[in-house]
Amino acid sequence: MLRTGLVAGAVFAFLFALNHFMPVHRDDYDYSMVWKTGVHLASFSDVCVSGVQHYLLHGGRTVTVFCLQLFLWLGKTAFDIANALMFLALVVLATMHARRALDFWKHPRLLAAAALLLWLSLPHFGEVAVWKSGSTVYLWSAVPAFLFLLPYNLALRALSEGRRVRRMWAVLPMFLLGILAGWSIENLAVTVVVTAFGASLYVRRRYGTSPAWMITGALGALTGLAGLVAAPGNYVRYDVQGAGKGILVHIGNQFAGQGEMLLYLLPVLLLILTAWRLYRQLSAGQPTERHGSLLLYAGKKYVVGFSTDGISIGTVTLVALISLLTLSYFTGGWVAGGIRDAIIGSVLTPLGFTKPKTIHLFTNLMNGFEEMAIYWLAILLFYVRIKQKLGLTAAAVRAAAECVPARDVLRRHPAARYAAFLMALGICNNLVMLAAPTFPGRATFSSAAMFVTAALALLSDEPIRSALLPRAGSVLCAGACLLFAYTGTAALFITQEMHAADAARIAQIEETRARGETVVRFPRIERTNRALRHVYYEDWDNSVTKEGAMEYFGLTDVVVDGK
């Protein structure tokens, strides 16, 4: 319990610090006013009136909008605390779903792994889990959805073990919780409804029972989904955003969104791949250590041996590249600058892509090249070392694959089947976005969380723990500490810089308005959307930020220098 409390406390403290430094900006200003009236939120009734206005004019995400505007009215500190608690709740729920049990407090290491993997793998973390308008849409939708689906998950496990799941007291609570889970965000709401009804049907057919709370929960989720999609504001917004976009555009959005999610999920996918190979290795024959070497027994003979202390050419190459990029990163970014100039000169210019906005966007992309490359290469370095520790050479992997077909792994290991289901659910959750006019990377939030839960389910499985931790546990721990130190420290420092710069701007606005003037001019904030997107900030020349702030502060123009 003590170690679990320390992990939970550390997670909350870190997220609270990030939330404290995150300024109010962009859509936050629009939602700090009664929707489309320009009147500042001044009472609880204003929050309710604004929610109705938003439902009629903009969209059906009434539950998340209500939460956002309520806490913007209550004050930033209240929101900072609530948002940190929401992330901690998601960490706990992912751990419980992974184990299909409630006793998360008995597993502090798995809880820490959940927090780290969610931190590393949720796309656009700063935008979806720290920024107020983003986190209430994505993080605050995922928590009630994961909470709502937990009783179904636990019930399926209980029934498979011959235990009863009739709980009449849960009939009304599950209906109400279902409404919250269904009235969330479009793709997740559809997934929740289908999963709830699917689980209820499965239980009826497989076990010949229909617990009332399962049915009412599914009906509640359907009710919430109906409220979400029936909003008149949805059709107003779709007419604007979806005009002229055919099915090919929607399919293209899928490739872009799914691909971006998979890039963020690199550490999760490598963990899942490692677990899959370990399952095959264990099914083919138990690894045996002899004189510092690991031998894989398969097909009545030892098929591969290697030294656990060897350093490969690939490892040396990765270390060299990481060192080069790190040196460049701290001395002006000359590697990224050279690649940027080469691409502009030899690719973009000959193709005629030389508009200032195109060059600006490409330059902004390359500004984050080195930090992303260092991150990916560091993950690959630790993955290579883990493979060496576990005996997962190419020959060993091939030998195990020949001995053990994929279907045998799924048949022998329930955790593997469960993880495969969660990953398939995540992909299907994204496919729902085919109906949407756009599919930004942040919309893959809940799917990424499902992939993380799949990885946690494998890590919590006894065969994987026994094979992985004794031989590669130290490498995993070192990698986790390094990746968090790298991303977490950068996110804190950069967000603190933004906090100070934004506070100076607010002070300047107050001085300007005190003089009776309505035009302000700011220097540009250079370091935004950095630390692998764990930092999110749109400067005030962004149209949404600019127009919302102008209306909120009573300005007629905001000028940002240096564009």
Side-chain angles (χ1 to χ4, degrees):
M1 284 291 290
L2 176 60
R3 287 192 296 172
T4 301
L6 290 174
V7 170
V11 171
F12 173 80
F14 178 74
L15 264 293
F16 176 75
L18 275 182
N19 278 275
H20 171 72
F21 290 136
M22 170 60 76
V24 171
H25 81 294
R26 207 173 185 270
D27 301 53
D28 296 342
Y29 286 116
D30 288 319
Y31 286 104
S32 294
M33 299 176 283
V34 178
W35 190 254
K36 297 302 181 184
T37 66
V39 177
H40 289 206
L41 294 173
S43 65
F44 182 76
S45 62
D46 285 346
V47 173
C48 297
V49 169
S50 184
V52 174
Q53 289 280 91
H54 185 276
Y55 188 80
L56 295 174
L57 301 175
H58 189 72
R61 300 172 184 173
T62 304
V63 173
T64 59
V65 167
F66 173 80
C67 293
L68 171 62
Q69 295 200 291
L70 176 65
F71 279 95
L72 286 172
W73 169 58
L74 291 174
K76 185 176 183 303
T77 300
F79 183 92
D80 295 342
I81 295 171
N83 205 41
L85 288 173
M86 276 291 185
F87 181 77
L88 180 58
L90 182 61
V91 170
V92 170
L93 286 167
T95 304
M96 290 193 291
H97 272 287
R99 287 188 41 76
R100 306 184 77 184
L102 297 175
D103 58 348
F104 71 92
W105 57 86
K106 296 180 181 179
H107 306 277
R109 287 192 297 184
L110 192 64
L111 191 70
L116 177 66
L117 290 177
L118 288 169
W119 163 256
L120 293 176
S121 302
L122 291 177
H124 300 225
F125 188 93
E127 188 175 358
V128 299
V130 184
W131 175 48
K132 293 163 185 57
S133 293
S135 60
T136 47
V137 170
Y138 298 101
L139 175 61
W140 291 43
S141 290
V143 168
F146 274 53
L147 179 61
F148 169 73
L149 291 176
L150 184 61
Y152 290 89
N153 200 349
L154 299 178
L156 288 172
R157 178 181 178 181
L159 287 168
S160 70
E161 296 172 352
R163 292 182 281 128
R164 294 170 58 85
V165 294
R166 292 188 179 276
R167 302 181 180 91
M168 292 305 298
W169 61 267
V171 170
L172 180 59
M174 284 299 292
F175 178 77
L176 297 176
L177 184 56
I179 292 176
L180 288 179
W183 208 325
S184 52
I185 186 171
E186 292 77 10
N187 61 328
L188 181 58
V190 172
T191 301
V192 164
V193 170
V194 172
T195 303
F197 275 105
S200 302
L201 181 61
Y202 175 81
V203 167
R204 175 64 180 173
R205 291 189 172 182
R206 179 68 182 270
Y207 301 104
T209 183
S210 296
W213 62 266
M214 279 190 161
I215 304 301
T216 59
L219 291 174
L222 182 62
T223 302
L225 176 61
L228 174 68
V229 301
N234 284 331
Y235 305 99
V236 175
R237 187 173 58 168
Y238 192 89
D239 287 342
V240 175
Q241 295 182 351
K245 294 183 178 179
I247 185 62
L248 292 180
V249 174
H250 290 244
I251 294 173
N253 289 341
Q254 275 292 310
F255 280 105
Q258 301 269 22
E260 185 175 5
M261 179 188 74
L262 294 178
L263 288 176
Y264 276 96
L265 284 171
L266 178 62
V268 170
L269 295 176
L270 291 178
L271 277 175
I272 292 172
L273 178 61
T274 300
W276 175 259
R277 288 175 168 175
L278 281 175
Y279 278 133
R280 270 187 160 160
Q281 186 188 63
L282 295 172
S283 298
Q286 292 296 324
T288 304
E289 188 165 346
R290 292 184 177 179
H291 308 296
S293 296
L294 289 172
L295 302 174
L296 176 64
Y297 187 76
K300 298 184 179 180
K301 63 179 181 179
Y302 291 103
V303 297
V304 64
F306 69 96
S307 170
T308 59
D309 299 321
I311 298 178
S312 67
I313 296 176
T315 301
V316 174
T317 303
L318 286 173
V319 171
L321 284 173
I322 292 171
S323 301
L324 176 67
L325 290 168
T326 302
L327 176 63
S328 173
Y329 183 69
F330 287 104
T331 55
W334 39 272
V335 170
I339 297 173
R340 178 200 62 212
D341 294 341
I343 293 176
I344 290 175
S346 61
V347 179
L348 297 183
T349 300
L351 292 175
F353 298 123
T354 56
K355 292 182 179 180
K357 183 176 181 180
T358 302
I359 300 301
H360 171 73
L361 291 174
F362 180 69
T363 300
N364 186 54
L365 173 68
M366 291 304 297
N367 286 340
F369 169 78
E370 284 165 333
E371 64 182 20
M372 182 62 80
I374 292 169
Y375 172 71
W376 282 343
L377 291 173
I379 291 173
L380 291 176
L381 175 63
F382 284 107
Y383 175 63
V384 167
R385 189 58 179 157
I386 287 170
K387 286 202 305 178
Q388 292 172 343
K389 290 285 189 180
L390 296 175
L392 297 176
T393 62
V397 170
R398 284 195 301 270
E402 291 172 359
C403 295
V404 185
R407 62 179 179 274
D408 287 351
V409 175
L410 294 174
R411 186 176 65 251
R412 295 175 187 177
H413 300 282
R417 295 197 300 273
Y418 178 52
F421 168 77
L422 289 174
M423 289 186 287
L425 191 65
I427 295 296
C428 292
N429 184 56
N430 281 342
L431 288 174
V432 177
M433 293 299 291
L434 273 170
T438 60
F439 185 24
R442 62 180 180 269
T444 65
F445 179 100
S446 50
S447 293
M450 294 173 194
F451 271 79
V452 169
T453 306
L456 294 171
L458 297 175
L459 290 176
S460 66
D461 194 25
E462 178 57 33
I464 297 300
R465 286 205 314 272
S466 299
L468 181 64
L469 296 183
R471 289 185 277 164
S474 59
V475 179
L476 274 175
C477 184
C481 292
L482 179 63
L483 292 175
F484 176 72
Y486 173 57
T487 55
T489 303
L492 279 176
F493 275 107
I494 296 173
T495 308
Q496 193 278 331
E497 286 180 3
M498 291 189 333
H499 173 79
D502 193 85
R505 290 180 170 188
I506 301 302
Q508 182 179 339
I509 289 174
E510 291 174 349
E511 293 173 0
T512 300
R513 296 296 291 124
R515 295 194 301 268
E517 300 173 5
T518 58
V519 177
V520 291
R521 181 182 293 272
F522 301 134
R524 176 169 297 281
I525 297 177
E526 296 295 339
R527 296 211 294 177
T528 62
N529 303 335
R530 298 296 297 275
L532 306 175
R533 295 280 182 171
H534 288 89
V535 175
Y536 174 70
Y537 187 85
E538 297 286 355
D539 214 339
W540 286 44
D541 56 347
N542 172 274
S543 60
V544 177
T545 304
K546 180 177 179 177
E547 293 171 7
M550 285 168 54
E551 186 174 19
Y552 185 82
F553 290 108
L555 302 171
T556 57
D557 197 12
V558 174
V559 180
V560 178
D561 295 329
K563 184 169 182 178

